[in-house]
Amino acid sequence: MVAMLHLRLITPSEKTGDVVRLVESTVGTTHLVVLPDAARDPAGDVVMCDVAREAGDELLNGLRELGIDAGGSIAVESIDLSLSERADKAEADAPGEAADAVLWEQLGEATHEESTLSVTYLAFITLATMIAACGVVLDNAILIVGAMAVGPEFGPLAGVCTAVVQRRPGLAMRSMIALLAGFAVAMAVTVGFSLFMDAVDLFSEQQLRADRPNTDFIYAPDWFSFVVAVLAGIAGTLSLTSAKSGALVGVAISVTTVPAAANAAVALSYGDTRQTWGSTEQLLLNLLGIMIAGTATLLAQKWFWAKQRQRV
């Protein structure tokens, strides 16, 4: 399948010529369309083209240098299917492989949205932590896996990694606020949830302190936990940069961030400092491993792609 992007541009009339020349000179572009005076808000021309994914970042950078994002508009869409010999040739001519290309603008936009502290984000991380609380008390691995899949914490983690590589302190601050505030709210609500469940005899301290062969690893961190977090961070980052989002589900259920937060909250409600501290260590260890691995992966991809472009 041809990996192409469709660009729809609104360009000020005086810059249309420069935009057309940029598109025509960028290897990997095709299907160029120019509609003079077609745009009304903002007023200008409409320019459309298709570009191979591996050439997309270069073209987007060139368009921003021309100020099209400020005086007009740049819209990018992924093409699911393109039946065109010209598209096949454009992708073949573009340097590198589509799967290795990183669209930094797209990545920054995606992590910006996913790392924003919103009511929806707080709802998801809180519900995931409450589900995990049921899982740790019942020693139910299915509930733990479900809670991991629901948790949205990889968004802010990816935001931190992207911010470090792109040197965007605003994104880093927003991501850290979403991450820390999200877990703080989720754990506080889960403490109240645990007390309520105890009051109605659905949770008990005996269940928490009993042998839990399926979930006792959550409050007993070790180097294996860190290794898994690092591997998950690499896989998650690659899934974002290569647009293979399906892998994120596997990443979500391979780390114990949400379950660790849940176990810490339940243990805190019963005054079990050993499990509270152990679970907190597990949570911090996983967060650290993912952030280190994600940042290193993005830096490696940036270096590798730059070297690949130099060989062309």
Side-chain angles (χ1 to χ4, degrees), residues 114-171:
E114 294 294 326
S115 62
T116 300
L117 185 63
S118 63
V119 174
T120 300
Y121 172 82
L122 288 175
F124 269 113
I125 196 168
T126 300
L127 289 170
T129 307
M130 292 165 69
I131 293 171
C134 296
V136 297
V137 172
L138 298 175
D139 195 33
N140 188 314
I142 295 177
L143 290 176
I144 294 296
V145 170
M148 291 190 217
V150 172
E153 73 278 7
F154 192 81
L157 288 168
V160 172
C161 300
T162 303
V164 171
V165 175
Q166 292 191 303
R167 299 178 182 179
R168 296 175 57 180
L171 177 59

Side-chain angles (χ1 to χ4, degrees), residues 2-158:
V2 179
M4 301 288 290
L5 302 171
H6 178 68
L7 271 64
R8 186 182 71 254
L9 314 172
I10 296 178
T11 66
S13 299
E14 66 274 12
K15 293 187 177 182
T16 300
D18 294 332
V19 169
V20 170
R21 283 189 288 272
L22 173 64
V23 172
E24 291 177 333
S25 64
T26 301
V27 177
T29 59
T30 187
H31 303 155
L32 176 62
V33 177
V34 180
L35 303 175
D37 299 321
R40 294 293 179 265
D41 184 18
D45 305 327
V46 173
V47 178
M48 294 181 286
C49 69
D50 294 340
V51 58
R53 179 181 170 84
E54 51 268 45
D57 198 56
E58 176 187 354
L59 181 55
L60 290 174
N61 287 335
L63 291 170
R64 295 199 69 175
E65 288 176 3
L66 290 175
I68 304 305
D69 56 324
S73 169
I74 303 174
V76 184
E77 300 173 334
S78 295
I79 300 176
D80 294 329
L81 178 63
S82 181
L83 302 178
S84 167
E85 291 185 3
R86 286 182 174 274
D88 294 338
K89 184 178 185 305
E91 187 178 39
D93 291 342
E97 295 294 330
D100 297 332
V102 179
L103 294 176
W104 292 101
E105 292 293 338
Q106 185 183 55
L107 180 62
E109 194 67 25
T111 51
H112 179 280
E113 180 181 353
E114 294 294 326
S115 62
T116 300
L117 185 63
S118 63
V119 174
T120 300
Y121 172 82
L122 288 175
F124 269 113
I125 196 168
T126 300
L127 289 170
T129 307
M130 292 165 69
I131 293 171
C134 296
V136 297
V137 172
L138 298 175
D139 195 33
N140 188 314
I142 295 177
L143 290 176
I144 294 296
V145 170
M148 291 190 217
V150 172
E153 73 278 7
F154 192 81
L157 288 168

